[in-house]
Amino acid sequence: MTIAGSSAAITTITATAGGTDTFVLGNTSPAAVVINGFVAGTDKLTGANGLHDYAQTTSGIDMWFNDGTHVVLAGVQGAAAAQVMSSTTNPPITVYSGQTVTTQPGFTDTVTMVGSTTLTTNGNDTVNAGTGSDTIKVNAGNVLVNGSATGTLSFIEAGSGTATLNLKGGTTTAKLGAGTGIVNIAGTTAITCGTGTDIFNLVKGMPIGSDNVIWNFAVGTDHLHLSGYGTGTSAVAWIANGTAGVSLALTDGTHVGLVGVHTTTLSQLFA
C-alpha cells in the first residue's frame, strides 16, 4: 500500500486484520499519517527518507522521517524500530541546525550534520560532522565520525562499541568509552581515554594543531602512532616530564600532552 499524503491533512489508514501489509511512504512532500491495526513484526513500513526519530508514547509509536513526515502507529506498544521498518539500512539522513536526532538499535545509518546539531547514535553509523557546533553521543553500536575542517565537535562514547574519529581540523572534545577508540588527530583536541584500548594516529600532512591534550592515557594499553613521519619515533623532536604529565613535540611542530603520564620512554607510548 502506497501512502501519498501531505502535511495539510492527516491520512488515516487501517491495516488488514490477519494479513501482512507493507506501507510505502511514496509522498513527495511531508505527510502526516496514522495507521490503525498495525502489527509489529508482521506489517512493515518502508520509504525513501531516513528514519529520524522513533519514540514510544501512550497512544502508540511516534515516527519522524528525514523529509518531515510524521507517522503514528496507533496502539502499538513495546516494538523496536527493526520490527516495524522493512529494512534496517536507512536511506541517508540529514540533520539540520537546531535539530536533535536519534538513530535506532540494529540499524545502519549515514548521517550528515548541517549547522549546529545534536545526534544520539544506537546503531552501526557513519556520521559526517558539520561546520557548526555538533554534539554526538554514542549509546551503542560502532560509529565512524568524519570530522569537519572548521567545526566544533563534542563527542561522548557511552557504549562499548568501536569509535573511530577521523578528524579533519576544527576543535574537538571527546570522551571515549569501553570499546576500542581510534582517533586520527587533527585541529585542536582534548580527549579523555576510555577503559578500552585507544589509538591516537598522528599523520604527517594533516592540519594538526599545536595544542592536543589527552587525559587518562593508560601506558601499555593506549598508544600514539606515527604515520608518514619516517622510521620509528625519529620524528619526536623532544619529550619532557612535568608536574602535570608528559609533553612531546614532533619535528613539524605538532604537540601532544599526556596528562598524568610520567614516562619518557617512547616505546611505552608509541606503537
Side-chain angles (χ1 to χ4, degrees):
M1 182 181 298
T2 300
I3 301 170
S6 71
S7 57
I10 297 175
T11 301
T12 301
I13 301 170
T14 300
T16 305
T20 300
D21 294 324
T22 298
F23 298 91
V24 180
L25 296 172
N27 48 296
T28 56
S29 61
V33 181
V34 175
I35 303 177
N36 295 311
F38 188 98
V39 179
T42 300
D43 300 326
K44 296 293 181 180
L45 189 65
T46 188
N49 291 288
L51 180 62
H52 249 213
D53 281 296
Y54 184 94
Q56 180 72 70
T57 70
T58 56
S59 59
I61 299 293
D62 237 12
M63 306 174 70
W64 290 89
F65 290 82
N66 196 46
D67 66 340
T69 291
H70 181 206
V71 176
V72 175
L73 304 180
V76 176
Q77 298 290 325
Q83 296 175 278
V84 169
M85 297 297 295
S86 61
S87 173
T88 54
T89 300
N90 251 331
I93 296 172
T94 302
V95 187
Y96 293 98
S97 188
Q99 288 186 324
T100 299
V101 169
T102 302
T103 66
Q104 299 305 308
F107 279 68
T108 300
D109 289 296
T110 299
V111 182
T112 298
M113 307 176 83
V114 178
S116 297
T117 61
T118 300
L119 174 69
T120 300
T121 71
N122 292 284
N124 296 317
D125 301 329
T126 298
V127 183
N128 301 311
T131 57
S133 297
D134 294 329
T135 298
I136 301 172
K137 180 179 179 181
V138 181
N139 284 338
N142 303 318
V143 64
L144 166 64
V145 176
N146 294 311
S148 164
T150 58
T152 298
L153 174 64
S154 175
F155 178 87
I156 303 169
E157 166 66 84
S160 58
T162 298
T164 302
L165 304 184
N166 184 23
L167 304 180
K168 306 287 181 61
T171 301
T172 300
T173 301
K175 182 177 181 180
L176 303 177
T180 299
I182 302 170
V183 181
N184 299 320
I185 291 180
T188 299
T189 61
I191 301 172
T192 301
C193 294
T195 57
T197 299
D198 298 322
I199 303 295
F200 300 91
N201 294 315
L202 303 168
V203 181
K204 186 175 179 61
M206 291 297 294
I208 302 175
S210 60
D211 187 13
N212 296 282
V213 182
I214 301 173
W215 281 267
N216 292 354
F217 186 96
V219 175
T221 299
D222 304 325
H223 290 94
L224 304 173
H225 178 74
L226 298 175
S227 179
Y229 281 98
T231 304
T233 56
S234 60
V236 178
W238 57 261
I239 183 168
N241 185 15
T243 303
V246 166
S247 295
L248 62 89
L250 303 183
T251 52
D252 62 358
T254 294
H255 176 263
V256 177
L258 304 177
V259 178
V261 174
H262 294 285
T263 178
T264 57
T265 302
L266 296 181
S267 62
Q268 294 181 319
L269 303 177
F270 287 85

